[in-house]
Amino acid sequence: MEKSPLTALPHPVRAILVLALAPAIGLGIGRFAYSLVLPDMRDSLGWSYSAAGFMNTMNAAGYLAGALGAARFARRTGLFGAAWIGTVACVISLALCAVSANFAVLSLARLLAGAGAAISFVGGGALGAVIAQSQPSRGALLLGLFYTGPALGIMLSGLVAPFLLQGFGPGSWWIVWAVLAAISAVLALVLRLNPIDSPPPAAGAHVIPVAIAPIVIYLAGYFCFGAGYIAYMTFMIAYVRDLGGGALAQSAFWCLIGGAAFASPWVWRGLLARGASGISTAILIGMTMIGAALPLIWHSPVMLAVSALVFGNAFFAVVSSTTAFVRFNYPPDAWPKAIGVVTIAFSLGQTLGPIVTGAISDMVGSLGSALTVSAATLAVGAVASAFQRRLTPAP
């Protein structure tokens, strides 16, 4: 077998950090910045919570569509090509959000952002797993570094959006999207100028099938995670604002989530290194549930800060744990397909989550009930994941 060009990669940490710019744009900015802009968009455009949730449902539907085709797309373009092309789609979607207030156009932009994020995530995640495999002694840390990308995007949007909205006043949501599109374009250029050698497989290369039955309980747990976490990330800024938090409070809350996510690879390094079963994922989903539930217990600024730290530190580590699970249980040729399968389960959950929780908020007239349902769903996901066992004998 021909030796992979990544086995001799001279700067794996640098390569991983550059690759992390793809989820920084697709997830950290493309998906999660919507939460920061949502309150002003709701007020300016007269949306209900259901309409607001529908926008993230469209994003999640795009993510599902992208996940369904990502493995095949990556086989045609190469893993780095998939990460780059998906990232470009996300930048275009951000620009579209800045130039139209039409509900249909904004919905399509959110759909495109989701599809691009999924393609870049599957391609980038599989390539990150290959890089991690080339450095076994620090593979868990390298893989974790890839998932600091969304944390970067969250912090950048948290430092920009609340203050732009405060400075330009009501109706300035489109300015935020324009600035975030410009920032994302710069990050995408850095990614493009630092390609990682990952040629597509030869024509007719064998694709290893991924059986669903042995991991169905794991997929169910990840589905619940997708449905549960997205309500927190969609509506918590609105929740903070409803409690009287201004631009500084909103920015601080969002940056605490991002900062905690940056620390995640070091905090959970040992757990991820033992991620061959579903126990690691179960523990991390359980920690995410605790973070989501804390604001429902006490509304003080201290409790909100603790919530952001606990949630932020755990929720991206959940995604990292699923890639670790794939890396431990499948051969390298099956990684893009296997990551695509678990991403589909996640996508189905987060497609339903925003619109269901938005409808609950409209019916009850409070975001608290939706966040309660979110925490309960995460608890179910943690329990389900705990029953998953390793697929292959331990080495």
Side-chain angles (χ1 to χ4, degrees), residues 44-357:
S44 302
L45 302 177
W47 289 352
S48 65
Y49 281 118
S50 296
F54 177 78
M55 283 292 169
N56 251 9
T57 291
M58 288 296 288
N59 180 261
Y63 199 85
L64 173 60
L68 286 168
R72 180 177 298 178
F73 190 84
R75 288 198 300 273
R76 295 175 63 89
T77 64
L79 297 178
F80 182 83
W84 160 244
I85 294 170
T87 299
V88 170
C90 292
V91 174
I92 293 172
S93 74
L94 291 168
L96 284 175
C97 288
V99 299
S100 177
N102 181 273
F103 191 85
V105 173
L106 290 170
S107 298
L108 289 174
R110 297 298 292 159
L111 186 76
L112 177 63
I119 291 170
S120 67
F121 179 80
V122 171
L127 185 52
V130 173
I131 295 173
Q133 189 80 348
S134 73
Q135 303 280 325
S137 63
R138 49 179 179 163
L141 176 62
L142 287 171
L143 196 56
L145 288 176
F146 174 73
Y147 295 103
T148 62
L152 172 64
I154 288 172
M155 292 192 71
L156 286 174
S157 55
L159 290 170
V160 168
F163 300 107
L164 286 176
L165 291 169
Q166 178 178 266
F168 287 96
S172 57
W173 55 268
W174 65 272
I175 297 175
V176 177
W177 286 124
V179 172
L180 291 177
I183 292 172
S184 297
V186 172
L187 297 179
L189 180 61
V190 174
L191 176 65
R192 186 66 187 92
L193 293 176
N194 292 274
I196 300 171
D197 188 13
S198 60
H206 178 62
V207 178
I208 298 177
V210 176
I212 302 298
I215 58 170
V216 66
I217 192 68
Y218 191 79
L219 296 177
Y222 203 32
F223 168 88
C224 290
F225 172 73
Y229 98 94
I230 194 64
Y232 184 97
M233 290 299 289
T234 299
F235 292 117
M236 269 306 294
I237 287 296
Y239 191 70
V240 171
R241 194 184 75 154
D242 288 349
L243 293 175
L248 183 60
Q250 294 170 37
S251 176
F253 181 84
W254 211 241
C255 288
L256 281 174
I257 292 177
F262 268 120
S264 181
W266 288 271
V267 173
W268 302 110
R269 179 180 182 180
L271 185 66
L272 294 175
R274 300 187 298 273
S277 71
I279 298 298
S280 296
T281 301
I283 292 171
L284 292 167
I285 295 178
M287 292 299 299
T288 306
M289 180 271 295
I290 292 171
L294 287 176
L296 303 172
I297 300 170
W298 193 16
H299 297 160
S300 74
V302 172
M303 186 60 81
L304 288 173
V306 173
S307 168
L309 288 171
V310 173
F311 187 95
N313 190 248
F315 92 110
F316 272 119
V318 175
V319 184
S320 183
S321 74
T322 63
T323 306
F325 176 81
V326 166
R327 189 166 64 93
F328 281 121
N329 287 286
Y330 294 95
D333 289 345
W335 287 347
K337 180 70 173 178
I339 291 174
V341 168
V342 296
T343 302
I344 289 167
F346 172 78
S347 302
L348 287 170
Q350 68 174 8
T351 299
L352 296 175
I355 196 165
V356 170
T357 52

